[in-house]
């Protein structure tokens, strides 16, 4: 038996270092790496028995060609050579008939390794394919945060061990960021309090000292109400404001409308609670706000994040040990992304499409239409909003679809050619994190299963087949890994440590704020001239939006035992989540004659989905929560949750509005 180190590749801020035990070429167990400074030997329940995912019966092992109808999932085995020949022939034909922009690659976050996640870019750049902007996950949060703070960095996550007040704002950390919460436990022992602000009482809220329910989409108003009280009660730090921020006079003038009373009307948070929250924040020694991504997936998401990020500026929290705020740590990694993106291969400024609107892109584009679709690291039939449109688009007869996947997913069933992908345990990569500051390279732990190939190997082989002779198409992954970090080329010791897979920190995140903020003004920006240039209101603001029809506001946040759709092939985890469920308040259930838990229909103008209603007071009246995204073969009616969500975009960054939709409920027509 041997032990090998690797890194969890999933889209999770924790990016755990893993120790895998391998026997006869097979992974027999996985455990946390106790030497990792942030994850400290713990893995979540999803990855603790990762062998079940690697060796799942749903794994794809060979290339295949479709023989049935699209969506049916009937395929015949072919060789890699045949697959590559067919793909290149179809690509050349499509490009000569239309333009190169008829080709489009939909990428997801199935594998967060820097190389595998981006390995398709050189190929599609060289080809001149349509490009994408925005994504399903967090672009509104990225941009909103950057307007205030200047870069995707924040307080060091470990420093939460020294806070006296943690505010978890729109994040279910127990499920999606457990290692940071482990550091907070140390603060808790010293008497620190935890407040959770969330529309429903999620697992994290259940552990809070104070849970504050909020009406979805109204967070900016609550943050502005806190600012109103902080200013009115002189709980701000004028010296800090003068030295480290810009735009306070303008902000102060704009606050008068956010009285606690009005904030109560908007947010549903009682006026006295707005006051109490602001006082706790203003009086804390070092308050720390963990800003979740959840609240950014709405039409007001970017502005909400930008507004919350202003709070630490009023009390000087970013410069108090244990205080501040954190959204992402992504910019704590100085990386030469050109080494893998190869944007210089672009023949011209090619067409840009909104990734979130995959269905519309497939159905409504004409100049040229998309006729060749590639899918890498994603399961868009399930994870994209308005999945009815996505499915309709994928059914187009004149569309040639190539899906490179580890599993027999819903998206695979629409493919013309299916290609088997390695898991991260079978391939090489470099992992940064968006929730901590450590970098780690990993070599394969086991050989690829069946004929699986990594994204890098596939796209380089395809490039060679197309006759692309640019340097990237003959590089090794190790070469690319080193080019990502030019500093290692001159520092032998660091280079060896990196290649050996040691955990490394390349930037001291505290130093980023040592002399100010990485914004255009060098200060935390209450007033952002850049926002004004970009067409936004330059100050934090709460804006009204139109509501769709429907009785309840639907939230679709992550489930505890799965991660997006990536664990649908692991039966043991699926069983823990039991069945596709919608949590509703008993009052809303009663209004539709639903008296007890059971299957119901949830619908809006986009479609209808059968879900198990769980009646619970953890959900406030007027809101409904469906955690997790299920593979359709595990649902009672074959309808995925995202049939109900809209492909409208966020206010900033072309993101998804997955938590900003309305639905109605009805009892099942008859017991079936
Ligand atoms: N209703 C609802 N919808 C959501 C969300 C939600 O909370 N609720 N969350 C949204 C968010 S935040 C996100 S980030 C997206 C995620 O959406 P996606 O990016 O589509 O993520 P997954 O659905 O997990 O699908 C990732 C797929 O990539 C495959 N994969 C993994 N590693 C590799 C690899 O190395 N190579 C290849 N070729 N394939 C690989 C996995 O097997 C998996 O099927 O979903 C969004 N959609
Ligand atoms: N177990 C598990 N872990 C995961 C994932 C998973 O699917 N399962 N997904 C991974 C991915 S891709 C991501 S992006 C991260 C996401 O991790 P988080 O940052 O935690 O964000 P979400 O889980 O999307 O949303 C968390 C909370 O946001 C709340 N929320 C929704 N709308 C609003 C609002 O308007 N205001 C407020 N205050 N709160 C709101 C939801 O109710 C939910 O409780 O987690 C990652 N980790
Ligand atoms: S999913 Fe997150 S918590 Fe679980 S092992 Fe991976 S990085 Fe760690
Ligand atoms: Mo995500």
């Amino acid at each position: 038996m041997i032990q090998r180190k690797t890194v969890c590749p999933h889209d999770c801020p924790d990016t755990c270092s893993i120790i895998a035990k391998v026997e006869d070429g097979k992974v027999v167990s996985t455990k946390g790496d106790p030497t990792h400074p942030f994850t400290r030997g713990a893995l979540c329940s999803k990855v603790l028995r990762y062998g079940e995912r690697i060796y799942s019966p749903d794994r794809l092992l060979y290339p295949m060609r479709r023989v049935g109808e699209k969506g049916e999932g009937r395929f015949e085995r072919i060789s890699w050579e045949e697959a590559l020949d067919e793909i290149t022939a179809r690509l050349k034909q499509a490009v000569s008939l239309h333009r190169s922009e008829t080709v489009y690659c939909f990428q997801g976050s199935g594998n967060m390794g820097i190389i595998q996640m981006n390995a398709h870019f050189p190929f599609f750049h060289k080809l001149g394919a349509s490009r994408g902007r925005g994504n399903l996950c967090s672009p509104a949060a990225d941009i909103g945060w950057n307007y205030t703070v200047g870069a995707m960095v924040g307080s060091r996550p470990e420093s939460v061990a020294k806070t006296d007040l943690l505010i978890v704002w729109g994040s279910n950390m127990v499920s999606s960021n457990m290692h940071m919460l482990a550091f907070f436990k140390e603060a808790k022992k010293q008497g620190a309090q935890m407040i959770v602000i969330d529309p429903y009482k999620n697992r994290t809220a259940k552990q809070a000292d104070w849970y504050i329910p909020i009406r979805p989409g109204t967070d900016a108003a609550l943050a502005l109400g806190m600012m109103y009280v902080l200013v009115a009660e002189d709980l701000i730090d004028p010296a800090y404001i003068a030295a480290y921020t810009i735009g306070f006079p303008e902000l102060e003038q704009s606050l008068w409308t956010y009285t606690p009373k009005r904030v109560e009307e908007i947010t549903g948070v009682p006026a006295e609670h707005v006051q109490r929250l602001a006082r706790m924040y203003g009086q804390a020694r070092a308050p720390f706000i963990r800003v979740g991504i959840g609240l950014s997936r709405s039409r007001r998401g970017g502005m909400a994040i930008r507004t919350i990020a202003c709070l630490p500026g009023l009390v000087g929290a970013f410069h108090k040990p244990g205080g501040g705020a954190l959204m992402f740590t992504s910019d704590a990694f100085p990386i030469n992304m050109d080494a893998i993106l190869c944007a210089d291969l672009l023949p011209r400024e090619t067409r840009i499409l909104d990734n979130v609107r995959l269905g519309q892109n497939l159905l409504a584009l004409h100049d040229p239409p998309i006729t060749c679709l590639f899918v890498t690291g994603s399961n868009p039939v399930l994870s994209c909003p308005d999945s009815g449109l996505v499915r309709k688009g994928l059914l187009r007869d004149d569309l040639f679809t190539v899906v490179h996947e580890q599993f027999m997913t819903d998206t695979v069933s629409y493919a013309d050619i299916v290609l088997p992908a390695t898991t991260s345990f079978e391939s090489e990569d470099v992992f940064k994190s968006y929730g901590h500051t450590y970098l780690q390279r990993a070599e394969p732990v086991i050989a690829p299963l069946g004929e699986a190939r990594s994204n890098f190997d596939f796209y380089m082989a395809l490039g060679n087949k197309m006759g692309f002779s640019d340097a990237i198409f003959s590089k090794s992954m190790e070469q690319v890994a080193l080019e990502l970090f030019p500093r290692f080329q001159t520092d032998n010791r660091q280079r060896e440590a990196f290649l050996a897979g040691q955990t490394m920190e390349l930037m001291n995140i505290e130093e980023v704020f040592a002399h100010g903020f990485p914004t255009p003004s060098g200060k935390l920006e209450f007033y952002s001239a850049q926002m004004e240039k970009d067409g936004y209101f330059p100050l934090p603001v709460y804006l009204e939006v139109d509501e769709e029809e429907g009785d309840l506001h639907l939230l679709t946040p992550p489930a505890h035992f799965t991660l997006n759709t990536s664990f649908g092939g692991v039966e043991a985890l699926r069983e823990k989540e039991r069945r596709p469920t919608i949590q509703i308040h008993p009052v809303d259930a009663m209004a539709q004659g639903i008296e007890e838990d059971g299957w119901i229909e949830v619908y809006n103008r986009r479609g209808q989905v059968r879900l198990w209603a769980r009646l619970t007071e953890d959900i406030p009246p007027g809101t409904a929560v469906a955690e997790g995204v299920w593979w359709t073969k595990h649902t009672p009616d074959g309808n995925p949750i995202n049939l109900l969500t809209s492909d409208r975009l966020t206010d900033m960054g072309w993101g998804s509005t997955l938590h900003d939709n309305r639905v109605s409920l009805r009892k099942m027509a008859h017991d079936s």
Side-chain angles (χ1 to χ4, degrees), residues 181-408:
L181 220 41
F183 282 93
F184 175 68
K185 289 214 172 93
E186 293 162 36
K188 208 172 160 67
K189 281 191 210 133
Q190 309 298 317
Q193 304 249 300
M194 176 163 88
I195 298 175
V196 171
I197 303 172
D198 203 284
Y200 83 108
K201 200 168 188 180
N202 61 24
R203 280 175 191 255
T204 314
K206 286 180 183 156
Q207 297 187 7
D209 297 289
W210 185 19
Y211 161 56
I212 305 178
I214 184 167
R215 204 167 279 146
T218 65
D219 301 86
L222 179 59
L224 286 157
M226 287 172 72
M227 294 183 206
Y228 174 97
V229 178
L230 288 169
V231 172
E233 301 191 5
D234 204 13
L235 292 168
I236 56 175
D237 181 342
Y240 184 88
I241 290 172
Y244 284 99
T245 74
I246 186 166
F248 179 72
E250 293 91 334
L251 174 70
E252 191 178 19
Q253 273 183 14
S254 75
L255 288 178
W256 64 273
T257 89
Y258 298 101
T259 59
K261 189 77 208 117
R262 174 155 177 258
V263 169
E264 172 175 343
E265 282 158 20
I266 299 170
T267 62
V269 179
E272 58 274 25
H273 289 185
V274 178
Q275 268 160 344
R276 187 171 140 209
L277 174 64
R279 286 177 194 146
M280 282 177 78
Y281 188 72
Q283 287 162 2
R285 173 184 45 80
F288 193 122
I289 307 179
R290 173 63 171 140
V291 191
I293 314 171
L295 67 105
S296 75
R297 294 189 197 107
S298 94
R299 283 166 296 163
R300 294 173 284 206
M303 187 59 95
I305 300 283
R306 180 261 191 290
T307 304
I308 294 168
C310 289
L311 281 165
L314 290 176
V315 298
F318 272 118
H319 289 81
K320 292 177 175 169
L326 180 65
M327 176 97 237
F328 302 115
T329 55
S330 324
D331 284 343
F333 300 87
I335 300 180
N336 166 33
M337 284 302 291
D338 280 347
I340 186 68
L341 296 180
C342 300
D344 59 324
L345 295 181
L346 260 183
R348 61 185 176 282
E349 280 300 311
T350 48
R351 178 170 70 175
I352 294 185
L353 307 177
D354 288 327
N355 288 319
V356 168
R357 298 193 147 154
L358 178 60
Q360 288 199 39
N361 290 340
L362 291 175
L363 292 167
L365 289 176
H366 296 295
D367 185 26
I370 296 173
T371 62
C372 283
L373 173 72
F374 286 71
V375 178
T376 177
S378 183
N379 189 0
V381 165
L382 300 186
S383 50
C384 268
D386 211 341
S387 52
L389 274 192
V390 176
R391 290 208 266 194
K392 202 168 156 201
L394 288 171
L395 283 172
R396 261 177 46 202
D397 275 339
D398 60 337
L399 178 71
F400 176 67
T401 305
V402 177
V403 182
H404 187 211
E405 243 304 340
Q406 297 164 341
F407 286 87
M408 193 67 203

Side-chain angles (χ1 to χ4, degrees), residues 8 10 12-16 18 42-44 46-47 178-179 563:
C8 176
H10 291 288
C12 170
D14 293 14
T15 319
C16 291
I18 300 176
L43 295 182
C44 68
K46 306 180 287 294
V47 177
M178 64 178 237
H179 294 87
L563 191 141

Side-chain angles (χ1 to χ4, degrees), residues 23 70 146 272 291 310 367 390 397 399 551 575 579 589 629 666:
E23 214 172 86
K70 290 195 179 198
N146 279 349
E272 58 274 25
V291 191
C310 289
D367 185 26
V390 176
D397 275 339
L399 178 71
D551 299 328
E575 279 173 359
R579 42 178 113 77
V629 181
R666 61 180 160 236

